[in-house]
Amino acid sequence: MRTTVGIVGGGPAGLLLARLLHRTGIDCVVLESRAQAYVEQRQRAGMLEQGTVNALRECGAAERLDAEGLIHHGIELRFERERHRIDFPVLTGGRTVTVYAQTEIVKDLIALQLAEGPPLLFGAEALAVEKPESEAPVVRFVHEGREQTLSCDYVVGCDGSHGIAQSAFPAEVSRTYAHDYPYSWLGILADVPPSCEELIYARGSGGFALHSMRSPSVSRLYLQVPNGTDVEDWPDERIWDELRARFAIDGDWRLERGPITSKSVTPMRSCVHEPMCHGRLFLAGDAAHIVPPTGAKGLNLAVSDVRVLARCFAEFHRTGSTQLLDQYSELCLERVWQATRFSYDMTRMLHAQPDGDVFDRRMQLARLRRITASRHAAAELAANYTGLPLAL
């Protein structure tokens, strides 16, 4: 099998890149190790920056997004039993964010891919990227019980932090910067209408809580829990009771309860891999960086990576010059580090530190007071949350 760009991974990053390349006239093949049904059901993020929404619209993948997505004009911060709203359009010159589940983005992109091309192979497990420094890198993979090769001009790894693309980087050129947080998130999906119109970020006495949503009838909520937490130790009533306590305010507000349909525990980690390219092998999305979900940056960073990369490939396709492709890592990493910094700051500000003392708690409160009292500080949060501009 032969193609111009071989894409390893059929999540949102790989699928969107394939869509962008296809519309530019660049042929590619997407290899996804899992079955289509599994990929379309993976629960992930659901908060889209303005730039992510724009990218999906520009590539013709936003029909359902525009019909079903929930536009949010701000978020609410809760602490000390108070509520404070951050107004995004006022602080950013009109930008908003949109709630639309990653699972739905993936379904939309898969439908377009299967209808219009280019090739998308499910159940195609990539084994290795070979000769990435050469002019003809190869991806070895197994599909339908048979080992095959995909010969490419370029390879893009969109296969996550444990995928084979990152491992193809020689040790002498790879650098990984990582930070593990001393807590996790217990996340639930519940068949109950959201108790809020916009996301609530709460710093309660027992730790952090987040009220999000997937639709007008499905709520998505999170609790800070110790690392190593077993979901079996958290029956439904205990979860709802703890959420109510952490969201509590002095005022008229009630957390609605409903049937919990899903529970999971997610460890919190920051990780950046440098560089994001080696030879003719490029990394995008979780293959290059992981951020804690507090700042809603994971999916959006993946989209910004592939938007930049698609523009680099388009310039190469148009002119034959590799100048932009050679700058891909540099172009992306500044934004990656800013998003990593923002996610770290949000996480440290809102979570109870297991080894923290009164000084730590007072510092957290001082940061929150600064944001809610200063337009300049609130505008900085709003600019990062709605999405910093691309470098290209």
Side-chain angles (χ1 to χ4, degrees):
M1 191 179 296
R2 180 80 174 77
T3 191
T4 301
V5 180
I7 301 173
V8 182
L15 292 168
L16 180 58
L17 177 60
R19 180 70 180 165
L20 294 171
L21 294 179
H22 175 65
R23 290 171 67 89
T24 309
I26 301 172
D27 64 290
C28 61
V29 173
V30 181
L31 306 176
E32 167 53 48
S33 64
R34 301 283 194 166
Q36 179 177 347
Y38 179 90
V39 174
E40 292 184 343
Q41 295 302 316
R42 282 188 292 208
Q43 291 294 331
R44 293 290 190 272
M47 180 59 76
L48 310 184
E49 295 175 357
Q50 185 73 64
T52 298
V53 172
N54 294 344
L56 292 168
R57 286 174 177 160
E58 290 164 7
C59 74
E63 182 176 349
R64 283 207 307 138
L65 165 63
D66 285 333
E68 302 173 17
L70 306 175
I71 297 175
H72 284 203
H73 295 83
I75 59 172
E76 184 177 306
L77 298 178
R78 291 191 180 183
F79 56 94
E80 301 292 288
R81 301 183 67 87
E82 303 169 7
R83 59 197 305 182
H84 302 267
R85 184 170 183 269
I86 307 298
D87 190 315
F88 291 158
V90 167
L91 294 165
T92 64
R95 281 187 288 165
T96 61
V97 292
T98 301
V99 173
Y100 187 68
Q102 178 174 315
T103 50
E104 304 309 308
I105 295 173
V106 168
K107 290 175 186 176
D108 296 341
L109 289 170
I110 286 175
L112 286 170
Q113 186 92 345
L114 296 179
E116 302 177 14
L120 166 58
L121 303 183
F122 291 104
E125 181 184 0
L127 304 175
V129 178
E130 299 177 344
K131 303 184 292 183
E133 302 92 346
S134 74
E135 294 184 358
V138 172
V139 181
R140 285 196 298 109
F141 67 100
V142 173
H143 186 236
E144 297 180 342
R146 183 168 62 91
E147 184 169 323
Q148 302 181 52
T149 59
L150 177 63
S151 300
C152 319
D153 293 332
Y154 295 92
V155 177
V156 182
C158 303
D159 54 343
S161 58
H162 301 294
I164 57 98
Q166 189 185 113
S167 64
F169 279 57
E172 60 270 19
V173 304
S174 294
R175 299 180 300 277
T176 301
Y177 305 93
H179 176 75
D180 293 309
Y181 296 84
Y183 32 73
S184 300
W185 276 14
L186 170 61
I188 66 167
L189 279 172
D191 284 340
V192 59
S195 303
C196 54
E197 295 183 357
E198 297 172 335
L199 269 65
I200 302 173
Y201 286 79
R203 175 189 173 275
S205 58
F208 171 77
L210 171 63
H211 194 322
S212 182
M213 60 215 56
R214 283 294 176 264
S215 74
S217 61
V218 177
S219 295
R220 182 71 159 153
L221 301 103
Y222 301 91
L223 281 170
Q224 175 189 348
V225 294
N227 285 339
T229 290
D230 186 341
V231 293
E232 297 302 320
D233 295 332
W234 284 83
D236 293 5
E237 286 305 306
R238 182 187 180 191
I239 292 173
W240 288 119
D241 288 346
E242 188 62 28
L243 286 166
R244 180 183 63 184
R246 296 189 191 185
F247 288 126
I249 58 170
D250 293 328
D252 184 20
W253 184 85
R254 178 182 175 183
L255 176 66
E256 299 295 335
R257 302 183 180 213
I260 295 176
T261 60
S262 173
K263 301 179 189 177
S264 61
V265 174
T266 303
M268 309 282 279
R269 190 167 195 255
S270 294
C271 183
V272 178
H273 181 276
E274 294 187 2
M276 289 175 61
C277 62
H278 172 68
R280 295 196 170 198
L281 171 60
F282 299 83
L283 302 179
D286 288 357
H289 38 71
I290 299 288
V291 291
T294 323
K297 292 293 145 226
L299 170 62
N300 294 296
L301 269 184
V303 170
S304 66
D305 288 346
V306 299
R307 290 176 73 195
V308 170
L309 187 54
R311 292 174 185 179
C312 293
F313 276 124
E315 179 68 11
F316 170 68
H317 182 67
R318 185 177 66 85
T319 69
S321 170
T322 63
Q323 181 178 358
L324 287 182
L325 282 171
D326 295 339
Q327 296 174 0
Y328 166 72
S329 183
E330 180 183 350
L331 289 169
C332 287
L333 280 171
E334 177 61 30
R335 195 176 194 274
V336 166
W337 276 111
Q338 287 301 324
T340 303
R341 186 268 314 161
F342 174 68
S343 300
Y344 175 87
D345 288 348
M346 287 281 285
T347 302
R348 290 283 299 180
M349 178 175 68
L350 291 163
H351 288 71
Q353 304 304 314
D355 57 350
D357 54 19
V358 175
F359 179 83
D360 293 312
R361 292 193 291 274
R362 297 293 293 190
M363 288 297 292
Q364 289 177 311
L365 182 58
R367 293 189 186 98
L368 287 163
R369 292 286 185 208
R370 172 65 178 168
I371 289 169
T372 56
S374 164
R375 181 185 176 93
H376 176 78
E380 175 69 12
L381 186 153
N384 280 273
Y385 199 97
T386 58
L388 298 175
L390 296 184
L392 180 64

